[in-house]
Amino acid sequence: MKRYSKLRWVLLAAGVIAILGLTGMNVYSLYQLHESTIETDQEPKKLQVAEFADRVRYRFFKPFWGLSSTSIEKLQSHFEKTNQFTEEVATRVQEAAEDSIFTDVYFIPANTEACQQNRFGYKYNKAHQQLIPSSNISDIVCDGMGIARTQMRALIHDYRYNNKVTFDTNRSVTVVLVNPSEKTIFGYVTMPINQTYLTERFLEKELQKRFGPPEESGMNVWMRDWTNNNIIASSNEQANYDHDKVQFKQRFPDFFDNWNLEVAFTGSSTIEASNASLTRNLIVLIAGVLLLLGALVFMFISAQRERALAERQASFLANVTHELKTPLTVMQAAGENLSDGRVQDQERLKSYGNHIFEEAVRLRKMIEKLLDVAKADAGQSLIEPKPVYLDELVQNYLDDHEEFIRDKGFTLEVNMDNDIPKTMLDENSFNTILGNLVENALKYSTEEHHLGIYLDASDEEIMLKIVDHGIGMTKKTINHIFDKFYRAEDTLTAETKGHGLGLSIVQNLVELNGGTIKVDSTPGKGSTFTVIFPVLTDMPSDNSDKPTEPTSNKRSIPLTQQSENYVS
Ligand code: ADP
């Protein structure tokens, strides 16, 4: 049996690990599925946001769309002669000048020292449809043009197109006019952006048109200046921006460098259904796993218990056979000698008789115990409860056993409350209970031979305590002492006679009589067994039917006549 014990533990561990592993995998798959549902649902929305960013960019390019077919050489020679653009380019510049998103249109030829040594350039006059020389080009134009010039310096050698659009974030847009065959720059058309129009008229309106209301689009979108932590425009005026709720960010690389489109998805029926299904699946899974683990552990513990019981029963059978045989052999030998008539001497006759008597008593006790257990197992323990005074029953027991206890070298401390009320109890059961507890206290005390018996009462219960200063018990032992055939695994118990039945009988009888039993014990210090019975409530708890004894209400207790709390 021991051989399989390790295997059982290994199998239990393997079972638990397998269940937990499978659960982990399932939870992972459920989350994966949920994530991919969310992703599938959000993917088209993210695309919409990216498309929107493209539209915004296109908005600034619009006037100059198609400029790539223009000959910059022609434009350059025309400008050198007239200080004006060709008609083809002028049409586009006019369009830009009329576009409310730009405040003005400036042109700075590349071969001047504009924005370096001086502030000379050209400002486009949309009323006269021509370039007018200007000597005070603003900072904003110079900054935009400066950024364009720096960018082009790095690009010009490999540049193949005739124009390049650059942004000074949201401040200005510059169209660089390039001569790709000569790798030269002709000039910079710079247009400061109209901030109010951009944010209030264009972005706010476009965002609301595209992404509002959130019930339809499934998202709230904000244009946010992340350097200043400032919301520029939003798709839904009612939705307050919450950084923690943002699930997706669309950047504007190369143009609104400081701005992001930030998106909070507001959930859709697909995601709600997926959430609900995830919760449902997790609950079912966890409940299933707990059930499986519970069943596995329960089966394991029951198997362990069954095994321990079977082992104890086997050893009990071996012991009991031996112990039944011993008195029988003694009785048989003594009886044989007596019946032969070989023993004539009076002393020896008496001693043989004593032997037979004592062994018969031992045998009877053992058989009684076995019968008690058998009856308890079959649910046939018969009790005859009557209203009794426990102090009287304890005293009766002491009258019979006090001498025996003292002879064993024990000091006896008895303390019983006055006015112990009546309780409903079977007298024989009580004697067995008290007898077993006292017997154990005597059996399991080695160094300090002390026995305490205490009886207390409250309004509801009567408490009997049997206290010893013996070997005590570990927590593990306490958990099993009421099990049938259980005996602690220590040397004293091994050397002491017993079968591990006494406390199982005690517990059975206490419960049959409506009481409870509990144990407090410290290894090496001793044990306290407390038995509690309910007070008999439907009868007056006065002492009227007790015999009135002049000295004390512990009238039949000679011990307490010496002192309330005495040690002998
Ligand atoms: P038995 O005494 O015949 O072995 P019991 O059922 O009366 O059987 O007790 C079960 C076990 O509980 C004992 O074997 C012993 O290990 C432990 N035990 C019981 N009473 C005490 C006690 N007063 N002090 C220490 N151990 C005890």
Side-chain angles (χ1 to χ4, degrees):
M1 269 194 185
K2 281 255 179 304
R3 212 155 24 110
Y4 294 117
S5 162
K6 227 182 191 161
L7 182 66
R8 259 192 292 267
W9 278 102
V10 171
L11 285 178
L12 175 73
V16 171
I17 291 172
I19 291 175
L20 293 180
L22 281 172
T23 314
M25 273 167 58
N26 269 317
V27 170
Y28 179 75
S29 317
L30 284 175
Y31 270 102
Q32 288 284 92
L33 190 71
H34 181 61
E35 293 281 297
S36 81
T37 312
I38 292 178
E39 216 142 276
T40 319
D41 186 75
Q42 288 179 353
E43 210 49 46
K45 294 177 185 165
K46 287 181 185 171
L47 270 178
Q48 275 179 35
V49 176
E51 264 169 33
F52 179 80
D54 282 345
R55 278 178 60 86
V56 173
R57 178 196 277 262
Y58 173 71
R59 177 71 183 78
F60 295 96
F61 282 64
K62 206 170 70 178
F64 294 95
W65 209 247
L67 190 69
S68 51
S69 57
T70 303
S71 159
I72 300 297
E73 274 133 338
K74 242 167 89 184
L75 173 69
Q76 199 165 351
S77 65
H78 182 82
F79 183 79
E80 276 158 13
K81 280 182 228 149
T82 61
N83 273 357
Q84 294 298 328
F85 290 136
T86 55
E87 200 188 326
E88 190 189 1
V89 176
T91 327
R92 300 186 189 287
V93 173
Q94 176 70 23
E95 200 182 313
E98 281 168 4
D99 190 337
S100 327
I101 207 151
F102 302 121
T103 52
D104 290 300
V105 180
Y106 291 86
F107 176 64
I108 299 168
N111 56 7
T112 65
E113 297 289 301
C115 295
Q116 287 173 313
Q117 307 290 338
N118 57 55
R119 292 274 170 160
F120 289 116
Y122 295 86
K123 186 175 179 183
Y124 186 78
N125 183 313
K126 61 181 170 190
H128 296 102
Q129 301 194 351
Q130 54 180 308
L131 289 167
I132 312 277
S134 164
S135 58
N136 57 347
I137 301 293
S138 68
D139 280 352
I140 217 167
V141 176
C142 281
D143 288 352
M145 175 243 178
I147 286 171
R149 189 168 49 199
T150 313
Q151 280 190 20
M152 281 319 290
R153 240 178 240 151
L155 293 177
I156 189 79
H157 301 297
D158 303 317
Y159 208 72
R160 291 183 293 123
Y161 308 103
N162 70 353
N163 72 82
K164 162 99 177 122
V165 180
T166 64
F167 284 78
D168 175 8
T169 64
N170 55 315
R171 295 168 76 213
S172 68
V173 180
T174 299
V175 181
V176 188
L177 302 169
V178 187
N179 184 336
S181 48
E182 288 179 16
K183 308 285 180 208
T184 53
I185 293 168
F186 162 51
Y188 305 87
V189 179
T190 299
M191 296 153 290
I193 296 174
N194 181 339
Q195 297 298 316
T196 324
Y197 182 87
L198 171 69
T199 54
E200 288 168 21
R201 301 278 304 279
F202 175 62
L203 287 176
E204 186 93 17
K205 271 207 180 133
E206 282 294 311
L207 278 176
Q208 285 176 8
K209 199 166 97 194
R210 288 251 139 191
F211 304 114
E215 298 80 44
E216 280 167 28
S217 65
M219 54 185 151
N220 282 317
V221 185
W222 297 271
M223 177 72 99
R224 176 167 168 262
D225 177 351
W226 54 268
T227 48
N228 296 315
N229 191 15
N230 182 22
I231 299 298
I232 312 290
S234 83
S235 66
N236 175 12
E237 277 162 9
Q238 264 92 52
N240 287 331
Y241 174 80
D242 180 352
H243 188 68
D244 295 336
K245 289 204 176 130
V246 171
Q247 287 156 292
F248 175 64
K249 285 182 188 170
Q250 172 68 49
R251 304 219 58 198
F252 289 90
D254 299 334
F255 65 125
F256 296 158
D257 282 334
N258 301 342
W259 293 2
N260 281 341
L261 272 178
E262 303 199 1
V263 184
F265 297 107
T266 51
S268 67
S269 53
T270 325
I271 292 180
E272 268 159 32
S274 173
N275 275 338
S277 130
L278 179 71
T279 320
R280 211 174 32 243
N281 284 339
L282 281 179
I283 290 173
V284 171
L285 188 68
I286 288 167
V289 166
L290 289 179
L291 211 72
L292 259 179
L293 280 178
L296 192 69
V297 171
F298 174 78
M299 267 157 40
F300 180 78
I301 291 175
S302 333
Q304 292 284 83
R305 287 216 173 132
E306 296 282 319
R307 192 172 60 90
L309 185 69
E311 273 174 7
R312 289 203 302 263
Q313 259 168 342
S315 93
F316 165 77
L317 215 62
N319 272 342
V320 107
T321 325
H322 171 76
E323 291 209 19
L324 285 174
K325 266 166 101 184
T326 318
L328 281 176
T329 317
V330 173
M331 283 159 71
Q332 189 183 349
E336 202 178 325
N337 285 346
L338 289 178
S339 64
D340 278 0
R342 270 186 273 150
V343 184
Q344 298 295 334
D345 176 42
Q346 277 302 313
E347 275 306 302
R348 286 189 65 201
L349 270 175
K350 207 173 155 194
S351 142
Y352 273 80
N354 263 343
H355 258 79
I356 293 175
F357 175 72
E358 277 167 14
E359 293 303 324
V361 168
R362 253 181 77 188
L363 209 55
R364 184 178 57 81
K365 276 192 179 168
M366 204 182 309
I367 290 169
E368 270 172 10
K369 266 194 184 175
L370 286 173
L371 280 176
D372 280 345
V373 175
K375 278 186 203 159
D377 274 355
Q380 292 170 352
S381 306
L382 289 181
I383 57 163
E384 282 176 39
K386 299 193 289 226
V388 287
Y389 287 108
L390 277 195
D391 51 354
E392 287 180 2
L393 295 190
V394 173
Q395 188 55 55
N396 290 345
Y397 176 84
L398 284 174
D399 288 347
D400 291 343
H401 296 87
E402 189 190 343
E403 204 180 316
F404 171 75
I405 295 167
R406 296 237 188 100
D407 285 351
K408 286 221 150 212
F410 275 76
T411 55
L412 180 65
E413 184 181 350
V414 180
N415 189 6
M416 295 194 267
D417 266 5
N418 294 331
D419 304 328
I420 296 287
K422 277 189 172 181
T423 181
M424 198 72 177
L425 205 70
D426 172 47
E427 212 173 312
N428 284 335
S429 300
F430 183 74
N431 286 336
T432 311
I433 294 165
L434 185 57
N436 269 294
L437 294 178
V438 169
E439 199 182 304
N440 278 351
L442 304 186
K443 272 201 307 197
Y444 300 111
S445 293
T446 42
E447 322 247 291
E448 216 188 313
H449 288 171
H450 176 86
L451 172 69
I453 300 179
Y454 309 101
L455 198 64
D456 291 328
S458 68
D459 286 346
E460 282 112 33
E461 1 181 86
I462 304 171
M463 229 184 309
L464 171 70
K465 281 193 175 154
I466 310 295
V467 181
D468 67 57
H469 294 175
I471 58 167
M473 289 171 271
T474 60
K475 283 228 158 62
K476 191 177 157 225
T477 304
I478 292 176
N479 285 338
H480 295 288
I481 52 171
F482 296 111
D483 294 352
K484 242 181 294 163
F485 308 120
Y486 178 82
R487 307 202 73 210
E489 288 161 6
D490 54 58
T491 35
L492 180 67
T493 308
E495 285 164 9
T496 319
K497 288 208 160 138
H499 304 105
L501 291 174
L503 287 181
S504 134
I505 294 169
V506 166
Q507 190 187 40
N508 180 256
L509 290 178
V510 168
E511 284 171 4
L512 269 180
N513 283 281
T516 50
I517 181 164
K518 54 184 187 187
V519 197
D520 269 325
S521 188
T522 316
K525 292 243 163 82
S527 314
T528 301
F529 282 81
T530 310
V531 185
I532 299 169
F533 291 110
V535 165
L536 186 61
T537 45
D538 53 350
M539 291 187 83
S541 64
D542 64 339
N543 288 342
S544 55
D545 54 347
K546 278 189 178 182
T548 44
E549 173 64 46
T551 46
S552 124
N553 71 338
K554 304 281 178 294
R555 65 257 138 235
S556 55
I557 306 172
L559 294 167
T560 48
Q561 283 169 6
Q562 299 162 32
S563 110
E564 265 294 300
N565 183 354
Y566 92 102
V567 177
S568 67

